[in-house]
Amino acid sequence: MTAEYLLRRIGVFFLVIWGAATFNFVLPRIADVNPIEERMSQLASRGAVSSGNTEAMIKNFEKRFGLDQPLYEQYLRYLWNFARFDFGFSIAYFPTQVRSVIAQALPWTLVLVTISSLIYMVLGMALGALVAWPGASRLFKVLFPPIMALSSIPYYLVGIALVHFFAFQLEWFPLGGGYTVGTSPGWDTEFYLDATKHAILPALSIILVSIGFSAIGMRGMMVTTQGEDYMLLAEAKGARSWRLFAWYGVRNAMLPQITSFALALGHVVSGVILVEVVFGYPGIGSMLLQAIRNFDYTLLYGIVYLVILSIALATLILDLIYPRLDPRITYAPRS
Amino acid sequence: MTTAQPDTQGTMPLDTTLERQEGSALARAVLTPFRWMRAYPTLWAGLILLTFMILFGVVGSRFVDPELARAGTVDIDLDPWQTVEYRVKGEERSAFSVLGTDSQGRDVWAVTLLGTPLTIYVGFLAALIGMSIGTVLGFIGGFYGGIIDNIFKSFADMLITVPVLMILVVVAVTLKSSIDVTQQALIIAAFVWMWPLRTIRSQVLTMRERAYVSVAQISGANTLEVIFLEMLPNLLPFLAASLATAVATAMLTTIGMDALGLGPQNQPTLGNTIYWALFYSAPFRGIWWWWAPPVLALALVFGSLYLITAGLDPLANPRLRRQV
């Protein structure tokens, strides 16, 4: 990996998050929306706000964002705040910081995304490899088309159907939520079991849909791998069939899947956000829905910025470790 | 497939079926579509399913009273399969409710019939505009190269990794003044041009070096002639496959926005129906007739688009034909 590539890649990363932050700054100003006034009029129309509280909030916000200062100064201050993950106060949960509201929800989403991604990658790659392998059972070839058809449907639509059949009718799983209401999140086995039970259906709706996506890429790579010379040589040397499959085939076909995973990450996260909405899962997605319904602009901008940042960061990390995993890839300039 | 090049390596049964010349001209004209169907069953299954879904909505919605898709028209939470009485501007009406009503007094059957074409419309409009932008930029970039190409490509690459739904959430929330379906399609169109750009650009790059393009250029064809007469016809399978993918992406985005409550308000789109079904916890209450029709309609439309893309694959990537 050359220093030039490294610098350019990190540059792109900062460009993306700078773009995301700037977008959040510019858009409300073009649209001429004042989030705080907007919110106040919303609350006032419901008669939900006492006047003393309102004035304190508006004053606090104006001071906080220096709304009386020139635009470039506001912008610089804004960027500086975002760089430190300081998104100000949540409008709906005043006086809680947006940062701490998000910190509550983030672990739920991170765990859900990570675990279901790992499971769907493993299952999808196994299925894709077996479909392309001539010696494998015909069962996989039969299984492949329905799973591919399923992959065209959005996660959360599958989630709705899963809720109906497995939670409402069969009552095997709880109806939504992240843990049983009334128990408080703690670090004991009982809570873990409870949380796992709540996470199975959301995870399943992500996994069922994504297997096909991961399998099709793997199948393509497996077919290519089978034509390679080292395959022929290994076969001629009398390597056993499973060794050919796992060591020569899967191992080489697996690594390029990392790239497609990195490209799909944004799509996966958008899907997970909507899955959370379906299940009322206490992660970023449900928080986003709350922010939209409450016109909580600061929380909303904070969530959007953080999601974009996390995905950009994950893509950056995957890009940087990829050549270490797969020695066939170099970022050295072709001479 | 008159443009197909004879394949000297593996013989392709697909093309021999298509190019077999026998019988009268009339018989050929009648039989050709059927031969196409036999050669590309997946593509045709997709096209037929999609046409069926469009007709289902467009024709079907003529037979229902649009008032039934409005909140508060009929009694709430009625079971499917019964006759309902309702009142519009003091006028008594009655209708047969195939799928019952929701918790806000809409008839679910009417909503599904009216919503399906609306959602497909948003998907197609956004995809067509996005495709046009992507194709034009891809052609310019691929054809001329240089710094413009670099800018387009880097921008597309950057935007591809960003979760578009997040950006649209900010746009929709900030613009708050309620948007209609066409405006929603326009906003989405701004974010579906990246994949077409990449596909078209890479194709143009390889095509630019092909002999027939050089021949055309040497024979004095101008750039537009080269693009439209030499390159574009060869790109048709790619364009069609990209369009199907773009429609799926755009529809995914529109129902995603709708499901977060950011869709066109007071429009019975399928996404909005899902939003209200979730808002009133329909899946948790077992009101299957509320959430299942829009979910099923969407699954069929997405399925048809998947079949079209998969069916176009052997046309867009001839190498696949020899696999498996």
Side-chain angles (χ1 to χ4, degrees):
Chain A
M1 197 184 326
T2 59
E4 193 205 323
Y5 174 79
L6 193 71
L7 279 178
R8 216 181 58 207
R9 190 59 193 77
I10 293 174
V12 166
F13 166 74
F14 281 111
L15 210 60
V16 167
I17 59 170
W18 168 76
T22 306
F23 187 71
N24 278 353
F25 177 83
V26 171
L27 204 66
R29 281 162 180 82
I30 295 179
D32 203 21
V33 172
N34 185 340
I36 295 122
E37 268 173 32
E38 197 94 332
R39 167 69 183 162
M40 287 306 135
S41 60
Q42 280 289 335
L43 285 181
S45 68
R46 289 189 220 156
V49 126
S50 64
S51 59
N53 198 5
T54 317
E55 271 166 31
M57 273 171 83
I58 292 187
K59 206 172 270 176
N60 200 317
F61 270 106
E62 299 214 316
K63 209 177 113 193
R64 180 119 198 70
F65 290 110
L67 289 180
D68 42 348
Q69 280 157 11
L71 206 59
Y72 76 92
E73 207 162 302
Q74 284 182 40
Y75 179 56
L76 290 179
R77 182 192 290 263
Y78 181 91
L79 283 187
W80 173 236
N81 284 339
F82 264 45
R84 290 177 303 144
F85 300 114
D86 181 356
F87 310 113
F89 298 109
S90 158
I91 299 177
Y93 302 99
F94 188 81
T96 318
Q97 289 272 339
V98 164
R99 195 167 33 186
S100 29
V101 177
I102 294 177
Q104 261 172 22
L106 198 61
W108 292 95
T109 304
L110 275 181
V111 172
L112 185 63
V113 171
T114 315
I115 293 183
S116 27
S117 296
L118 282 176
I119 296 178
Y120 92 70
M121 286 292 284
V122 170
L123 290 181
M125 288 199 289
L127 178 69
L130 286 167
V131 167
W133 195 251
S137 156
R138 270 186 53 82
L139 176 73
F140 300 108
K141 288 200 171 63
V142 177
L143 223 60
F144 192 64
I147 286 188
M148 281 313 299
L150 203 60
S151 74
S152 64
I153 302 165
Y155 306 154
Y156 53 105
L157 298 187
V158 175
I160 295 177
L162 289 180
V163 167
H164 181 79
F165 292 114
F166 294 104
F168 179 78
Q169 287 205 316
L170 296 173
E171 295 182 4
W172 288 355
F173 296 100
L175 287 166
Y179 49 90
T180 307
V181 181
T183 62
S184 62
W187 302 116
D188 48 79
T189 331
E190 206 179 324
F191 177 74
Y192 279 131
L193 280 177
D194 187 43
T196 312
K197 219 170 151 190
H198 281 80
I200 288 177
L201 284 185
L204 199 62
S205 45
I206 299 165
I207 294 166
L208 277 179
V209 173
S210 307
I211 286 181
F213 160 79
S214 149
I216 188 106
M218 186 67 181
R219 188 189 70 161
M221 273 316 290
M222 246 346 231
V223 170
T224 316
T225 313
Q226 278 171 48
E228 299 283 350
D229 289 341
Y230 57 75
M231 231 19 182
L232 198 66
L233 180 67
E235 210 177 336
K237 275 169 69 185
R240 278 200 210 111
S241 171
W242 66 266
R243 199 180 154 79
L244 276 178
F245 174 72
W247 217 240
Y248 290 79
V250 171
R251 193 164 159 244
N252 285 302
M254 207 168 76
L255 290 166
Q257 306 308 318
I258 295 174
T259 318
S260 57
F261 174 70
L263 279 178
L265 206 57
H267 176 78
V268 173
V269 171
S270 302
V272 169
I273 280 172
L274 291 159
V275 166
E276 287 185 0
V277 168
V278 167
F279 286 89
Y281 200 73
I284 290 292
S286 300
M287 192 118 286
L288 185 74
L289 184 70
Q290 286 304 315
I292 293 172
R293 285 196 182 148
N294 293 332
F295 301 93
D296 191 342
Y297 291 91
T298 46
L299 179 57
L300 189 114
Y301 293 150
I303 291 175
V304 168
Y305 175 76
L306 260 187
V307 168
I308 293 177
L309 174 84
S310 336
I311 289 170
L313 190 67
T315 322
L316 175 71
I317 294 171
L318 283 174
D319 266 9
L320 293 185
I321 61 169
Y322 187 38
R324 301 213 158 263
L325 296 176
D326 192 344
R328 291 169 295 185
I329 304 292
T330 59
Y331 292 130
R334 266 172 282 164
S335 50
Chain B
M1 275 279 288
T2 44
T3 53
Q5 303 296 313
D7 193 339
T8 45
Q9 296 182 351
T11 44
M12 291 177 295
L14 303 178
D15 290 67
T16 45
T17 4
L18 291 176
E19 283 167 13
R20 194 166 46 201
Q21 304 280 315
E22 60 185 32
S24 68
L26 181 69
R28 273 210 307 277
V30 174
L31 283 175
T32 307
F34 290 102
R35 287 192 185 143
W36 270 78
M37 279 194 204
R38 230 174 66 195
Y40 302 102
T42 326
L43 176 61
W44 276 96
L47 285 173
I48 290 170
L49 186 57
L50 183 64
T51 317
F52 172 76
M53 289 310 291
I54 294 173
L55 288 180
F56 164 77
V58 173
V59 177
S61 56
R62 310 270 145 168
F63 295 96
V64 295
D65 182 359
E67 290 293 330
L68 283 169
R70 223 177 271 256
T73 306
V74 273
D75 289 341
I76 64 164
D77 290 333
L78 293 176
D79 286 347
W81 213 258
Q82 56 178 301
T83 309
V84 290
E85 310 278 337
Y86 60 100
R87 195 178 260 282
V88 179
K89 289 179 196 129
E91 178 195 343
E92 292 278 354
R93 295 188 196 178
S94 82
F96 187 71
S97 177
V98 182
L99 288 166
T101 64
D102 68 13
S103 299
Q104 284 186 313
R106 296 186 198 87
D107 180 68
V108 180
W109 178 241
V111 167
T112 313
L113 283 173
L114 288 162
T116 308
L118 267 185
T119 301
I120 297 177
Y121 165 77
V122 177
F124 264 90
L125 185 61
L128 279 173
I129 299 171
M131 271 291 295
S132 317
I133 301 173
T135 310
V136 169
L137 295 187
F139 260 111
I140 297 175
F143 208 82
Y144 294 106
I147 197 157
I148 302 178
D149 181 37
N150 238 322
I151 293 173
F152 289 167
K153 191 179 167 290
S154 315
F155 196 57
D157 284 350
M158 249 190 290
L159 211 53
I160 274 175
T161 58
V162 173
V164 166
L165 189 63
M166 293 290 99
I167 302 179
L168 289 173
V169 163
V170 173
V171 174
V173 168
T174 310
L175 298 181
K176 206 55 205 149
S177 54
S178 75
I179 50 173
D180 63 29
V181 280
T182 307
Q183 285 165 331
Q184 190 188 26
L186 291 179
I187 298 174
I188 293 171
F191 297 97
V192 289
W193 52 270
M194 297 89 71
W195 286 106
L197 181 141
R198 277 164 64 119
T199 316
I200 300 305
R201 178 182 169 274
S202 65
Q203 287 306 313
V204 170
L205 277 182
T206 68
M207 236 177 241
R208 203 175 54 176
E209 310 299 329
R210 301 274 177 83
Y212 62 86
V213 171
S214 313
V215 169
Q217 277 171 327
I218 294 167
S219 349
N222 65 34
T223 311
L224 283 181
E225 277 171 351
V226 171
I227 288 177
F228 282 103
L229 298 179
E230 305 293 332
M231 288 180 158
L232 213 52
N234 289 299
L235 280 173
L236 283 178
F238 290 95
L239 288 172
S242 293
L243 181 67
T245 319
V247 173
T249 315
M251 273 185 46
L252 200 69
T253 317
T254 160
I255 59 168
M257 282 174 79
D258 293 0
L260 286 170
L262 297 171
Q265 302 195 332
N266 306 322
Q267 290 282 345
T269 63
L270 296 177
N272 277 348
T273 311
I274 288 170
Y275 173 77
W276 288 117
L278 290 175
F279 192 91
Y280 284 92
S281 311
F284 301 142
R285 291 159 62 201
I287 313 181
W288 56 267
W289 61 87
W290 191 354
W291 61 261
V295 167
L296 196 66
L298 284 171
L300 288 175
V301 176
F302 278 116
S304 72
L305 292 169
Y306 165 73
L307 288 175
I308 292 173
T309 320
L312 281 167
D313 240 10
L315 285 168
N317 308 312
R319 272 191 312 161
L320 279 180
R321 270 182 262 183
R322 271 174 233 124
Q323 282 181 10
V324 185

